[in-house]
Amino acid sequence: MKYRFDAVIIGGGASGLMCAISAKRKNPALNIGIIEKNDRVGKKLLSTGNGRCNLTNSNVGVNRYVGNADKLLSAVIKKYNTQKLIEYFKSLGLQTVKDSEGRYYPLSRQASTVLDVLRFNCDELGVKIFCGETIRSVKKQKGFVIKTEQNEFEADKLVVAAGSKAAPKLGGNGSASDILKNLGHSFTPFAPALCPVKVRSDVLKSLKGLRANACVTLYKGSKSLRTEIGEVQFNEDNLSGICVFNLSLFTSNDNTIAVDLTPDISNTELYNILNKNKELFSKQTADNIFTGILQKRLSQAVLKSAGIKDFSRACSALSDIELKAAAQSAKRLVFKVTGNEGFDRAQACRGGVVGEGIDPETMQSKITKNLYICGEAIDVCGECGGYNLHFAFAGGIIAGEHL
């Protein structure tokens, strides 16, 4: 079947839905259609923020992102900063709440509420949504001709708001790459980001399933690249947790990750505590020297890393050199980076359209007239904490305003 629209949006996720709403609010007469490959829109949105939808952050700034679109990113954030985005959502009927870390959530703390607000606004404004449609071809003629397995769409303007390859079980794929390359854009290949980091260590398997608050630092040789603080989860062959996810934006296979298990205690202070514990728990086995500080399995891993393997010895038998080594090990438990867990477990991706090819004021392509690009299709990736959704929503609003 053939359909004719003023503008067609490829992708019914955060950016695509917001773009449609923005366009219709600016010009109600526009005939807007959304093409979505999943059986429903916003599928990935429902999983964000552990199902609560962390939609922005009070700390939004260029320094929270990586990629190849700094000028574009800066313009988008300037036009729709955190407060302006929250006000825009409020005008759509969404009430929000901010936590102590600056993260904004819907007041209901349910991602489904955000999706409902977007869907209902699309419905009220008369946006036509086509689900279960896989794009087969996109051609630029006088306007644009988009063919799916079932239908053919013609439009004067086209918005590519298709997501990245992250979370393929939720519909992530690389379709935006092929579409935009064919329309003349340079494209940095997608790479998994915000995901567990695969590591190697003699003590890792013994820590499987444990969680600990820590300071994690990414190193290249002796050079510190990035430091994050938060909960680390130790798995059989990887490290996980928000702080590790943020490091994953910068990891490569020549890196190491050092985990400080006592970030609030200095090396000297820790050594002094261990010295006291040596007396307090003198008759206990050596793996109890960190009692009151670390979990037993963490204590054993730290001691092993420090070269102390005989746990049958009494705490009183530990030498001063061994106590110093144990303290140092707790402050710097090192893991060799071997890769990451891939697109299946990635929350986002690095890569996408190079920002130079997009007008930062309108989100319109500088290469193909009447083509607009927003969301994950652009080479912009933020840290955990609502930064990626902020860019998706803000870019969608701007693109919609200029259709």
Side-chain angles (χ1 to χ4, degrees):
M1 195 167 179
K2 287 189 176 182
Y3 295 92
R4 182 78 177 80
F5 290 97
D6 295 316
V8 161
I9 300 168
I10 296 177
S15 199
L17 291 170
M18 190 63 94
C19 179
I21 292 167
S22 171
K24 291 289 286 185
R25 294 182 88 185
K26 183 75 178 288
N27 185 355
L30 285 177
N31 190 15
I32 305 288
I34 294 177
I35 301 173
E36 168 57 44
K37 66 182 176 300
N38 287 323
D39 57 357
R40 55 178 175 165
V41 295
K43 197 170 182 179
K44 192 182 290 187
L45 187 63
L46 291 174
S47 70
T48 60
N50 290 322
R52 295 180 296 162
C53 193
N54 175 197
L55 48 93
T56 184
N57 195 299
S58 60
N59 299 305
V60 163
V62 176
N63 62 317
R64 298 289 183 171
Y65 297 83
V66 298
N68 192 5
D70 285 354
K71 186 177 179 181
L72 172 70
L73 174 62
S74 181
V76 169
I77 292 174
K78 184 177 180 180
K79 201 161 190 178
Y80 279 96
N81 60 25
T82 304
Q83 196 54 45
K84 286 183 179 178
L85 184 61
I86 291 301
E87 288 171 1
Y88 198 93
F89 266 114
K90 191 173 182 179
S91 74
L92 298 180
L94 184 73
Q95 304 302 315
T96 59
V97 62
K98 182 176 73 170
D99 70 8
S100 60
E101 300 293 323
R103 295 174 292 222
Y104 279 88
Y105 295 92
L107 188 58
S108 68
R109 290 174 175 78
Q110 294 292 317
S112 57
T113 301
V114 180
L115 182 55
D116 284 345
V117 164
L118 296 174
R119 287 193 307 108
F120 294 165
N121 273 274
C122 281
D123 187 48
E124 294 292 331
L125 292 166
V127 176
K128 306 292 191 304
I129 298 177
F130 300 83
C131 291
E133 300 268 1
T134 300
I135 303 291
R136 287 305 176 201
S137 66
V138 176
K139 293 182 179 179
K140 178 75 167 73
Q141 297 177 352
K142 186 176 180 181
F144 294 89
V145 177
I146 306 100
K147 291 184 179 180
T148 68
E149 291 179 342
Q150 299 95 330
N151 299 300
E152 182 176 316
F153 303 82
E154 291 183 358
D156 297 325
K157 297 181 178 182
L158 176 67
V159 180
V160 176
S164 66
K165 293 176 73 174
K169 291 179 181 178
L170 298 176
N173 63 29
S175 61
S177 171
D178 293 335
I179 293 169
L180 292 168
K181 282 179 184 176
N182 291 336
L183 292 172
H185 276 270
S186 297
F187 204 96
T188 303
F190 285 127
L194 303 187
C195 58
V197 175
K198 297 187 77 171
V199 295
R200 184 175 65 246
S201 165
D202 291 341
V203 301
L204 184 59
K205 286 188 177 180
S206 67
L207 298 176
K208 182 180 177 181
L210 287 184
R211 297 172 183 263
N213 289 319
C215 175
V216 291
T217 302
L218 183 68
Y219 285 91
K220 183 173 183 178
S222 60
K223 183 180 179 182
S224 170
L225 302 178
R226 191 86 173 183
T227 296
E228 297 282 338
I229 295 175
E231 186 181 70
V232 178
Q233 180 174 330
F234 300 91
N235 301 309
E236 187 170 356
D237 64 351
N238 68 68
L239 300 178
S240 187
I242 290 175
C243 58
V244 175
F245 283 10
N246 286 339
L247 290 188
S248 75
L249 290 170
F250 309 95
T251 55
S252 62
N253 289 1
D254 60 350
N255 296 150
T256 56
I257 293 176
V259 180
D260 180 352
L261 293 166
T262 60
D264 297 324
I265 305 173
S266 70
N267 196 314
T268 300
E269 289 173 322
L270 182 57
Y271 165 71
N272 289 335
I273 292 170
L274 294 182
N275 241 329
K276 289 181 181 178
N277 284 358
K278 178 179 176 178
E279 295 179 12
L280 285 171
F281 312 125
S282 62
K283 297 179 182 178
Q284 307 304 315
T285 54
D287 54 350
N288 288 296
I289 193 68
F290 281 95
T291 297
I293 309 169
L294 300 177
Q295 298 177 55
K296 187 70 167 284
R297 276 199 286 154
L298 273 174
S299 174
Q300 292 172 340
V302 165
L303 292 176
K304 183 178 179 182
S305 180
I308 303 168
K309 298 178 181 179
D310 182 5
F311 300 153
S312 65
R313 297 160 57 199
C315 286
S316 60
L318 292 172
S319 69
D320 189 60
I321 292 176
E322 287 176 319
L323 289 183
K324 287 180 179 178
Q328 186 174 359
S329 179
K331 296 295 294 179
R332 198 173 189 276
L333 195 59
V334 178
F335 300 85
K336 174 74 174 67
V337 174
T338 61
N340 59 53
E341 285 296 323
F343 293 110
D344 281 349
R345 298 186 65 185
Q347 294 184 5
C349 281
R350 294 197 62 165
V353 170
V354 176
E356 289 180 356
I358 304 170
D359 183 340
E361 297 302 318
T362 65
M363 308 304 286
Q364 182 174 188
S365 167
K366 294 179 181 179
I367 297 165
T368 302
K369 188 178 180 181
N370 292 327
L371 169 66
Y372 296 76
I373 308 166
C374 53
E376 290 182 273
I378 302 171
D379 188 4
V380 170
C381 187
E383 300 174 2
C384 293
Y387 301 105
N388 287 305
L389 275 182
H390 181 103
F391 180 71
F393 286 132
I397 294 172
I398 295 169
E401 289 173 339
H402 291 88
L403 287 181

